[in-house]
Each structure stands twice: as structure tokens, then as C-alpha cells.
Amino acid sequence: MAEVVITLLAPDRPGIIETISQIIAAHEGNWLDSKLSLFNGQFAGIAHIYVPNKFLPSLTEQFNQLTAQKIAIHHAVIDPANTASAEEEITYTLHLLGNDRPGIVRDITKILLEFKINITDIQTEHTSAPMSNDAIFKASAVLRVPQSANIDLIKSNLEKLANELIVDVTLDNES
């Protein structure tokens, strides 16, 4: 059995999930986890499926044929050897709120990468402030922090950046 992660993007319309699920079922696959959403008229998402190895070539072919329906699907077969963590990690949640400006995600992720922190989930939102109508940026990210990382130094670097960006950043331990 192959473990596969698929990503998809298509102009929104009824039946996209049904079309994909029919293909997976026709290949004796099993739809496990997914996150699918509508973004500015585009339906986008990611799904985790299992499918018998013998059906992978046919599944790939049928996914490729969906381009005629303006559905783009990419998939990756997961190698179980690559899913094991090299060291113990601690889960944290990062919350950010402040006036929007270009580069916020870049600046935050640069610091996280310096400490080899893995972002496992991120959600961002661009909205307007209630009274002033100024652009507000919100972000929430689930992080896997190596146990050996200096969390005080990480927090200090994030606080310094938050002051430069004039945003609020908090880092909460999920353990």
C-alpha cells in the first residue's frame, strides 16, 4: 500500500471533491485526512490517501487527465523512512497580530529557520481594523521546535522582530 499526499487547485465549482474521490475509490484507495478550502474563487487543498502500489501509475494518469477539467493535481508518494523525526520536538503555537506590511511572513520564518523550527500548520488572515479600517495581518502557526533549541533565545529574537514590525507575537507551549 502506498501512502500518497495530493495537492489540488481548481476554479471553484460543484463536484470537484466527488470527481477526485471517484478516482481514488476506483483505484481501491482510501481518503484519510484533508484540508480543502475556497480562496478567491479557487478551490485548493491537500489530502492524504492510501492506494495499492499496483494502481499508482493508473491513478497518476487519471489525475493528469483532470487538467482538461481545469483541475490541477500533484501528488507525492511518502517514503516512511523520511517521516521519522531526527530528535525530540516540542510543539508551540505562534500567534501574530499587527498592522499589515510586506515581508511579515518572510521575517518571522527567517528567524524560525535559524533555529531549525518546522512549521507544521499556518493560517494567515488579512482584514481591516474595526475603527480605522487600517489593514491588519493575523497569523497562527503550529511549530515543532527541537528540544535542544534555546527557547528563551527564540522568544527574544521574536520579540525583537515584533518591536521592529510593530506587531504582537506570542509563543505558547502546547505540551
Side-chain angles (χ1 to χ4, degrees), residues 16-148:
I16 294 171
I17 295 173
E18 192 276 337
T19 298
I20 296 164
S21 65
Q22 285 288 350
I23 292 171
I24 293 167
H27 291 87
E28 298 178 15
N30 188 18
W31 185 303
L32 302 170
D33 303 311
S34 62
K35 289 186 181 183
L36 306 159
S37 281
L38 180 62
F39 292 101
N40 290 335
Q42 295 293 307
F43 188 71
I46 187 166
H48 176 206
I49 66 172
Y50 282 131
V51 65
N53 289 323
K54 67 182 181 180
F55 291 122
L56 276 174
S58 176
L59 180 77
T60 299
E61 183 179 321
Q62 287 207 330
F63 281 164
N64 290 338
Q65 290 174 2
L66 290 175
T67 58
Q69 297 179 43
K70 297 184 179 180
I71 300 173
I73 293 189
H74 300 281
H75 71 282
V77 178
I78 305 304
D79 179 356
N82 292 336
T83 59
S85 179
E87 72 171 283
E88 291 294 316
E89 298 169 322
I90 302 169
T91 302
Y92 284 83
T93 301
L94 180 141
H95 297 282
L96 182 143
L97 175 66
N99 291 327
D100 188 32
R101 71 159 192 74
I104 293 175
V105 173
R106 177 203 60 219
D107 294 344
I108 292 289
T109 57
K110 182 178 180 185
I111 289 174
L112 298 177
L113 180 59
E114 288 173 10
F115 291 96
K116 298 185 180 359
I117 294 172
N118 190 17
I119 300 169
T120 61
D121 187 48
I122 185 168
Q123 295 183 24
T124 63
E125 179 183 4
H126 184 268
T127 187
S128 297
M131 300 298 234
S132 66
N133 220 17
D134 290 339
I136 300 294
F137 183 77
K138 298 178 186 178
S140 179
V142 177
L143 312 175
R144 289 193 323 208
V145 178
Q147 197 168 31
S148 62

